[in-house]
Amino acid sequence: MGRIPQHFIDELIARTDIVELIGGRVPLKKSGREYKACCPFHAEKTPSFWVSPDKQFYHCFGCGKHGTALGFLMDHDHMAFPEAVEELATRLGLEVPHEGGVDRSAQRADEPLYELMARVAHFYTEQLAREPRAREYLAKRGLTAATCERFAIGYAPDSWNELLRRFGASDGERKRLSEAGLIIERERGAGREGEHYYDRFRDRVMFPIRDARGRVIAFGGRVIDAGEPKYLNSPETVLFHKGRELYGLYETRRARRNLDRLVVVEGYMDAVSLHQAGVEYAVATLGTATTAEHFRRIFRLVPAVVFAFDGDRAGRAAAWRALQQALPEAREGREIRFLFLPQGQDPDTLILAEGRSAFEERLALAVPLSEYLVRELSEQGDLGSADGRARFAEQARPLFARVPEGVYRELLLERLAQVVGLSAARLEALWSTGKSDAPAASAPARPSAAARPARGAGRGSLVRQAIVRLLHFPAIAPEVTAAERAGLDASEEPGAALLRELLDDLRARPAQIPAQVIQRWAGHKDSETLQKLLGREEVITGAAAATEELRAALLKLADQAAGRRLEALEAKSRSGSLAADEIEEFQRLIERLSHRDARGG
Ligand SMILES: [Zn+2]
């Protein structure tokens, strides 16, 4: 994907009404110039969540959450940035441009495919209404009509060319059907004249697979009676990459406002049954092992995930593969656990038999990743013998090496060392001199000191006053003269560097509303500081007064810096002599500060 140009994001922020956007999700009440509600991000009885139409910004005084319309979609609806951009653009009827141009045309070319998939999904749901056998099958599996509707479950008729007939009248249409993976090309010579293709899905219950925005990108089909294969998925297409998608994610996001964990199961029937029973945070991998990409998607949304696998051999093998993919993602603050169901049970049958609370009790008892790792490796040998422990250490080593540096890694090392009966330091030393061809585990590094939060301006300080005015009235930045801006260069006040950067940015790229500034600075190291200042500080005056206040603050900062420089030169002149240019500077500073005194500053 090409980069989304900044001017487009500016436009989205300027044209979106944050009150309407949030108001569609949270009941807002007008209060003065702003709107308030009970915070959707933390539990509370009296409202401390405020939405400002002037700033196009929301802020919670309870939990400190804040952000722009884009930030809200990312935090509240768990969207990734490009999805949130798409969502706002769709609301405004705009097409998202991408720099580079190539992807733009690719995206446009995909558009009819999405439409085609939507029409086919609708066709399948219509067919379900006409096919009692399919409906009886779903009823027998315990699915209600409401659940079928929620997941848009349908039926592909028992025909080799029904889809072709309805959706593939022209060569172009057949090409699209083939690109979407809905029809299959025959071997050359097979079939009658004109029958080059046949329907991929025939006599199957159809589960549309939707992307995060709810667009149908693929289908999974299950046979009704006996037949092979039991499950058939769409092939990889331009829309569908199965190693990336999680079935049920769209429905999960729609069902749950505050998502704190996901359950990952293996089949779509499992995911649908769990949702129906009230476990509305279940998603399924699509006939593929859990991939690194899955993990990245999961942890962008939630800090905790439980894998529920069947208790049989295949389930255990799948769990072990998932563990290996999980190791690079393991770190403090994340929870990765594994639930093994009783032999012969899967989540679908179990939830029907036991109900939601019993299933959630099982989830609560799921085994943490580290314990699962220890348990699996322990079973390979006798830990009572020195040989067995050595073997354990050898097998654990390449797995441990995949865990990133950090607290979690150190805790895991300690746990593994405990099992082997060595100190953590000893085990690590052993590993680093060992002869295995796995990458040696390096010593855990301390977190870098560079990650410290930037020093913000003190409450009420001149720097803070200036930043707050710029944030609330970004359009006033070009009013600052070059001389006023230059006076800030020598300032060493806390936060002066941030003020300089913000001022320069806004003079170069003028912004009209606060949220535009926040959105542009997203990802900057001082982004949080700016959001807090915008959320918590109020500027009662209008833009004209704010301009005067900003200029006054800049002037005072320049004076302060001049005063400090003067003191330094004075001190130097007492202990020695000043160079010619220093004497000149000294005189300029005296001049400047006497003017200040005349101003009464
Ligand atoms: Zn809150």
Side-chain angles (χ1 to χ4, degrees):
M1 272 276 190
R3 232 170 63 90
I4 301 166
Q6 186 60 52
H7 71 80
F8 184 73
I9 294 168
D10 277 356
E11 190 185 345
L12 283 184
I13 294 292
R15 290 177 56 180
T16 297
D17 179 10
I18 197 171
V19 174
E20 191 191 310
L21 179 82
I22 297 182
R25 291 160 170 81
V26 180
L28 295 176
K29 258 182 78 176
K30 192 152 201 307
S31 175
R33 283 162 57 186
E34 306 201 325
Y35 292 79
K36 65 178 179 179
C38 283
C39 179
F41 299 107
H42 83 280
E44 62 175 7
K45 290 206 177 73
T46 49
S48 47
F49 178 80
W50 291 82
V51 182
S52 161
D54 296 339
K55 300 175 195 167
Q56 286 294 307
F57 194 73
Y58 68 91
H59 180 82
C60 174
F61 288 89
C63 65
K65 282 260 186 194
H66 47 227
T68 64
L70 279 172
F72 185 81
L73 286 176
M74 291 163 75
D75 266 356
H76 184 269
D77 289 19
H78 307 291
M79 289 183 181
F81 179 75
E83 290 167 359
V85 169
E86 279 281 351
E87 172 74 22
L88 290 189
T90 307
R91 287 171 64 97
L92 296 167
L94 301 173
E95 190 186 341
V96 181
H98 289 278
E99 278 164 6
V102 179
D103 290 295
R104 188 179 176 154
S105 64
Q107 195 198 22
R108 211 178 307 137
D110 289 348
E111 221 99 64
L113 270 194
Y114 285 121
E115 279 168 28
L116 175 65
M117 296 299 272
R119 283 191 293 135
V120 169
H122 182 70
F123 166 69
Y124 286 151
T125 57
E126 280 176 350
Q127 294 300 305
L128 180 65
R130 299 207 180 113
E131 180 54 51
R133 248 174 71 252
R135 285 202 311 279
E136 276 158 28
Y137 168 79
L138 289 166
K140 206 173 69 201
R141 294 294 300 261
L143 297 190
T144 63
T147 301
C148 292
E149 194 177 316
R150 189 155 127 212
F151 284 84
I153 295 171
Y155 169 72
D158 191 5
S159 156
W160 290 91
N161 61 7
E162 187 63 28
L163 207 64
L164 255 177
R165 213 169 54 73
R166 288 175 184 257
F167 297 94
S170 69
D171 278 348
E173 284 176 331
R174 285 191 287 275
K175 191 166 158 280
R176 306 303 279 162
L177 282 174
S178 171
E179 275 172 14
L182 293 166
I183 58 172
I184 299 173
E185 199 162 357
R186 284 185 199 276
E187 304 274 320
R188 271 215 298 186
R192 282 189 315 239
E193 186 64 30
E195 290 187 343
H196 296 302
Y197 297 98
Y198 60 95
D199 290 5
R200 177 183 297 273
F201 298 102
R202 303 173 306 277
D203 193 24
R204 284 174 183 269
V205 169
M206 300 299 290
F207 298 79
I209 296 159
R210 298 191 265 210
D211 68 7
R213 289 170 57 191
R215 297 178 299 194
V216 176
I217 52 172
F219 290 95
R222 195 202 185 284
V223 289
I224 295 179
D225 308 312
E228 288 295 333
K230 205 150 100 177
Y231 290 98
L232 180 66
N233 285 339
S234 293
E236 298 267 319
T237 67
V238 290
L239 303 183
F240 178 52
H241 306 283
K242 64 179 177 181
R244 203 165 68 191
E245 300 302 331
L246 290 164
Y247 178 76
L249 193 55
Y250 169 70
E251 290 81 2
T252 294
R253 280 168 158 185
R254 287 221 307 182
R256 288 268 165 146
R257 279 260 155 93
N258 293 307
L259 206 54
D260 55 4
R261 63 175 166 171
L262 288 174
V263 182
V264 179
V265 293
E266 289 180 278
Y268 21 74
M269 214 44 192
D270 295 325
V272 173
S273 294
L274 287 175
H275 273 257
Q276 177 173 288
V279 184
E280 292 168 320
Y281 45 95
V283 296
T285 53
L286 290 153
T288 172
T290 315
T291 63
E293 180 66 25
H294 285 142
F295 275 102
R296 282 193 292 274
R297 293 202 76 176
I298 289 168
F299 287 122
R300 271 207 314 254
L301 294 174
V302 290
V305 60
V306 185
F307 290 89
F309 290 100
D310 301 357
D312 59 8
R313 249 178 94 97
R316 289 179 58 136
W320 187 246
R321 283 197 304 272
L323 171 133
Q324 287 170 298
Q325 294 294 341
L327 290 169
E329 297 298 323
R331 61 203 61 171
E332 56 275 19
R334 289 180 177 179
E335 199 183 275
I336 304 169
R337 292 186 301 142
F338 294 82
L339 170 65
F340 293 95
L341 303 177
Q343 188 83 32
Q345 297 273 24
D346 55 36
D348 172 30
T349 53
L350 204 63
I351 195 96
L352 282 173
E354 293 187 342
R356 172 184 171 179
S357 54
F359 188 82
E360 287 190 326
E361 272 167 38
R362 285 182 189 272
L363 286 180
L365 295 173
V367 186
L369 181 141
S370 58
E371 280 317 298
Y372 173 45
L373 176 67
V374 167
R375 205 173 76 183
E376 274 300 300
L377 293 183
S378 309
E379 281 174 14
Q380 321 250 328
D382 173 17
L383 288 179
S385 74
D387 256 12
R389 290 196 297 273
R391 203 177 129 84
F392 178 97
E394 209 40 45
Q395 288 183 325
R397 177 182 166 177
L399 296 168
F400 177 76
R402 306 189 64 174
V403 179
E405 309 274 342
V407 176
Y408 184 87
R409 183 183 167 107
E410 290 183 47
L411 292 174
L412 182 62
L413 179 66
E414 272 169 32
R415 177 73 184 105
L416 294 172
Q418 186 195 7
V419 175
V420 182
L422 294 173
S423 71
R426 189 80 191 79
L427 178 61
E428 220 181 5
L430 188 74
W431 273 341
S432 60
T433 57
K435 58 188 185 310
S436 157
D437 56 1
S442 56
R446 300 292 145 202
S448 111
R452 279 194 210 107
R455 271 206 301 171
R459 174 167 277 280
S461 76
L462 290 170
V463 170
R464 189 185 177 110
Q465 287 173 26
I467 291 178
V468 164
R469 275 152 189 83
L470 274 173
L471 274 178
H472 283 76
F473 300 99
I476 68 177
E479 308 275 321
V480 173
T481 66
E484 283 166 340
R485 165 62 190 86
L488 197 56
D489 277 335
S491 179
E492 290 167 7
E493 290 297 299
L498 174 59
L499 173 58
R500 280 191 287 267
E501 201 180 339
L502 181 66
L503 186 54
D504 290 347
D505 180 38
L506 290 174
R507 280 157 57 87
R509 301 187 295 170
Q512 298 311 310
I513 54 172
Q516 285 174 330
V517 185
I518 295 298
Q519 202 56 58
R520 283 183 196 175
W521 282 60
H524 187 282
K525 66 177 171 43
D526 293 321
S527 160
E528 263 307 294
T529 308
L530 294 185
Q531 299 201 43
K532 282 186 183 142
L533 287 176
L534 181 60
R536 292 189 191 147
E537 295 273 330
E538 283 310 321
V539 177
I540 308 297
T541 51
T547 309
E548 290 315 307
E549 287 158 2
L550 170 66
R551 298 171 82 166
L554 292 178
L555 196 59
K556 281 185 195 159
L557 282 166
D559 286 346
Q560 269 181 6
R564 249 198 314 274
R565 179 69 183 144
L566 190 65
E567 277 167 29
L569 289 174
E570 274 170 351
K572 191 175 178 194
S573 74
R574 278 195 298 274
S575 63
S577 62
L578 295 175
D581 58 338
E582 284 174 328
I583 293 172
E584 210 177 298
E585 189 186 358
F586 189 88
Q587 283 165 344
R588 264 190 290 122
L589 290 169
I590 297 265
E591 174 99 343
R592 177 188 174 109
L593 292 173
S594 59
H595 279 151
R596 175 193 66 179
D597 294 338
R599 290 194 309 264

